[in-house]
Amino acid sequence: MSLATGQGGAVGPGAEGQPLLSLRGLSKNFGPVQALSDVDLDIPPGQITALVGDNGAGKSTLIKSIAGIWAPSAGQISWEGRPVSIRTPKEADHLGIATVYQDLALCDNLDIVQNIFLGHEALSHRLLDETRMELTAKKTLADLSVTTVSSVRQPVGSLSGGQRQSVAVARAVMRDARLVIMDEPTAALGVSQTGQVLELIRTLGQRGIAVIVISHNLNDVFSVADRLAVLYLGRMVSSGPIADYDPQRAVELITTGRVSGDQPTAPESGAVADGRV
């Protein structure tokens, strides 16, 4: 299988070295419905890849196939060059893949420390090691440059949207995640909180952690991403360095599966407005 650059294919290793995660010919169908068709994509280590597409393009199906929620119907997933089969979220976690879904999966009645260690509690002599967990939680948040949390013993229910995102990401990082997938991390956040989350994503990249960000906000995408991948009706129509795109070209790819002057790859869909798609 060729590794084309730009529209119509994934970007191969090339000068960037071996990708952390590689998808080849990934397909997923639900009965007669083809949700993904022959998707090729490379995720380099330490880079932020924005995954964009219109509603129904297959973004959620793709990340759930990577996260072990749904098994692909066809195709190959490789991790550090080795073919792998990710059948459960636990297997994805073991590889170092963490997914932060839009609902964040946090417990509002528990504090930050309890949420970060939920299911992975530190024990000492068969008892919870509260001191070690609290110190680790503080260090993890500090390493992520999270400074807006006054106490790690705050109930998560009292936190802002940006702070809750920080807790969810800290939980992933604390478990030695090497790839963090974030589903609409800035949805329904204000300007200040959105800025906090985008800075958190940049910090992950600076620490050498690969990030896949699903977003409908192209302003956020072009602000934070190193790479762009565009899905259209279940197909990966374009992927490459963010410098190869501008917002207009991204919008055309998202809404039509092609750019002006190219041959259409699929029927056109709806339009977009105000920088959101």
Side-chain angles (χ1 to χ4, degrees):
M1 181 179 296
S2 63
L3 305 180
T5 302
Q7 185 169 347
V11 177
E16 297 176 357
Q18 180 174 269
L20 180 66
L21 176 74
S22 181
L23 311 179
R24 290 293 177 268
L26 204 72
S27 298
K28 178 63 181 177
N29 63 279
F30 299 93
V33 178
Q34 192 75 31
L36 295 174
S37 300
D38 296 321
V39 171
D40 290 355
L41 181 64
D42 287 336
I43 303 298
Q47 294 199 22
I48 301 163
T49 301
L51 179 63
V52 299
D54 211 344
N55 292 332
K59 303 184 300 296
S60 294
T61 302
L62 182 60
I63 66 168
K64 287 180 178 178
S65 297
I66 297 171
I69 303 295
W70 292 327
S73 303
Q76 180 65 61
I77 300 176
S78 297
W79 182 258
E80 294 187 311
R82 298 181 295 106
V84 294
S85 177
I86 307 175
R87 294 165 294 186
T88 65
K90 187 174 183 179
E91 291 183 354
D93 183 68
H94 180 72
L95 287 174
I97 300 173
T99 304
V100 180
Y101 293 102
Q102 197 167 349
D103 61 8
L104 302 181
L106 298 175
C107 299
D108 288 349
N109 60 315
L110 301 181
D111 63 31
I112 293 172
V113 175
Q114 292 167 326
N115 268 278
I116 288 178
F117 281 90
L118 190 61
H120 295 74
E121 290 81 2
L123 301 177
S124 177
H125 305 293
R126 298 186 180 182
L127 298 175
L128 292 176
D129 193 338
E130 297 284 0
T131 300
R132 178 153 64 102
M133 289 192 292
E134 184 169 327
L135 290 174
T136 302
K138 287 180 178 179
K139 183 179 185 305
T140 302
L141 290 171
D143 288 346
L144 293 173
S145 302
V146 177
T147 59
T148 59
V149 175
S150 59
S151 170
V152 292
R153 289 302 181 182
Q154 282 181 259
V156 163
S158 68
L159 301 179
S160 69
Q163 290 170 330
R164 291 167 64 88
Q165 280 283 352
S166 299
V167 173
V169 171
R171 179 172 58 188
V173 172
M174 190 274 300
R175 297 174 189 173
D176 296 323
R178 300 179 62 197
L179 169 62
V180 176
I181 303 171
M182 304 182 71
D183 185 8
E184 296 287 357
T186 60
L189 296 184
V191 174
S192 176
Q193 294 176 5
T194 294
Q196 293 172 17
V197 172
L198 294 180
E199 189 57 38
L200 178 64
I201 294 171
R202 293 188 189 99
T203 301
L204 290 175
Q206 292 165 3
R207 293 188 59 184
I209 299 172
V211 184
I212 299 176
V213 181
I214 292 180
S215 180
H216 283 84
N217 191 317
L218 290 182
N219 292 327
D220 292 350
V221 165
F222 280 89
S223 169
V224 78
D226 300 305
R227 302 179 62 81
L228 186 70
V230 185
L231 278 171
Y232 179 75
L233 298 180
R235 294 185 178 275
M236 186 66 67
V237 294
S238 185
S239 67
I242 195 71
D244 291 349
Y245 302 86
D246 57 37
Q248 180 179 350
R249 184 183 182 210
V251 168
E252 288 188 55
L253 287 165
I254 290 167
T255 57
T256 70
R258 61 190 179 94
V259 292
S260 299
D262 291 338
Q263 293 298 316
T265 58
E268 295 189 359
S269 63
V272 297
D274 301 328
R276 299 185 66 86
V277 294

